[in-house]
Amino acid sequence: MFPPSTRCPGAHVLASTLATVATAARVDGCGLILVANGTPHAIGGSDPDGRLLERAQVAIGSGPAFRCMVSGGAVPVRDLPACYPHGHPELAPSAGRVRAVLSVPVLIGRVVTGSLDLYDLEPHDWPPARLTAGAELAEVIGSVLNLLAGTSEPVSSPISGVPR
Amino acid sequence: MHLDPEALDASLRMLRHTPREPDLRRALAKVVTAVNRLFACDGAGLMFADAGGALRYVTATDECGRSLELAQAELNEGPCVDAYVHDRLVACGDVTCDTRWPALTRVVQPEVRAVLGAPVRLSGTPVGCLNLHSARPRRWEDSDLLGLPAYAELIEEIISAALAAEHTGTLARQLERALHDRAVIERAIGFLMADRGLDAKEAFDHLRRQARNSRRRIVHIAAELLGEPLPLPQRPSAS
């Protein structure tokens, strides 16, 4: 494959993918939570806001990502500080600047493996077309994870790949 | 990077036990299908450069898109070829009367009118084209012009994931090779533009013609022109 001088961590590929997904979805950012051994892990986000949102949800064990992973369906939230079900007031104080959130399930095969959380810093509704786009992008994230899972090396250590 | 690599490792270890085999071609087709669903169009497709540096059909959502890609590959002209060669977004409101591609207008199916092509890059080097087509003439909107390149970048992310995970399928090897070859071809195009006053398309066509006449690969012609060592033969395919 590529010579040693062009090695890069596989995690960088996912970080870059999340940033590209945010651009494609035309949102301010996105984050990812994945489940391993029944435990949710805040993987991170396209920016610090995304990382904070995912860490907050995992820390308090609540939020649109959890509803999404339990139901297996998309969960649109108009404004986090608003009352449930339009918001998640218990999460809002820990979620920084994030206001509108759309959580869509990430599936590998037919198994819900996590939640892709698209968000904006202004409150708004999520029309059906954006729910469709979110679902398609969650499928792309699933494909990237499936490909990355094929490596025998941990993604946190340098492995060969395309220089970014 | 706003990611926790250790948490990602833990999750990916679990995914390794799922029965679903990683498949680059299926993952790429998923993006093309998503593009078809999300944009107001009648079809979408994907082309990649082959070992000779020419664009080839990879996948399309419909027969019209497939025929459009095959025609461009055969004629070496069209919006997708230009997007790849010039490394920029190419919009066409009605391909049946577009004077940029006279040969294509004669063979394109009547169900294909408007076409939009975005270059797919690896490490900043174009290796293919993601395209949309519409059955009616249309003026592409800003949302299309801004949106399609983002999905072309998603194609790059998927290829990067496959290469990072050292998948060794035929397509991954072909793309890796195309990336290397394209860098040599780009340098030769730059040389011809500076030395002979050609534009990028003319320079690429010159290399392609030379390759056809001598029954050699474009990258060999390019390397010879630059006085560089000839690329090694491609490894035999295992799949």
Side-chain angles (χ1 to χ4, degrees), chain A residues 12 43 136 155-156 160 162, chain B residues 1 4 9 37 123 157 166:
Chain A
H12 283 190
I43 301 301
E136 297 285 355
V155 294
S156 53
S160 63
V162 178
Chain B
M1 187 172 74
D4 180 347
D9 270 341
R37 286 183 188 150
S123 305
E157 308 294 359
E166 299 187 331

Side-chain angles (χ1 to χ4, degrees), chain A:
Chain A
M1 305 297 279
F2 282 85
S5 60
T6 63
R7 292 157 81 87
C8 83
H12 283 190
V13 173
L14 184 61
S16 175
T17 303
L18 289 176
T20 306
V21 161
T23 304
R26 293 176 208 164
V27 291
D28 290 327
C30 67
L32 182 66
I33 290 176
L34 293 175
V35 176
N37 288 324
T39 306
H41 293 271
I43 301 301
S46 58
D47 61 11
D49 291 319
R51 190 173 196 177
L52 181 63
L53 171 67
E54 304 307 57
R55 283 182 168 179
Q57 291 190 87
V58 169
I60 68 172
S62 174
F66 282 81
R67 283 164 59 202
C68 163
M69 290 187 287
V70 169
S71 69
V75 175
V77 167
R78 187 180 191 285
D79 190 11
L80 279 183
C83 294
Y84 185 87
H86 303 294
H88 268 273
E90 80 288 2
L91 175 65
S94 315
R97 303 187 299 160
V98 173
R99 301 294 293 270
V101 181
L102 172 62
S103 296
V104 279
V106 175
L107 289 89
I108 303 287
R110 292 180 181 175
V111 179
V112 176
T113 309
S115 173
L116 172 67
D117 301 328
L118 308 171
Y119 61 83
D120 280 314
L121 303 182
E122 295 293 331
H124 63 77
D125 290 321
W126 296 90
R130 301 196 78 180
L131 267 58
T132 304
E136 297 285 355
L137 292 166
E139 282 204 38
V140 172
I141 289 288
S143 296
V144 169
L145 291 171
N146 201 31
L147 288 165
L148 286 176
T151 179
S152 56
E153 297 291 332
V155 294
S156 53
S157 66
I159 56 175
S160 63
V162 178
R164 307 291 307 182

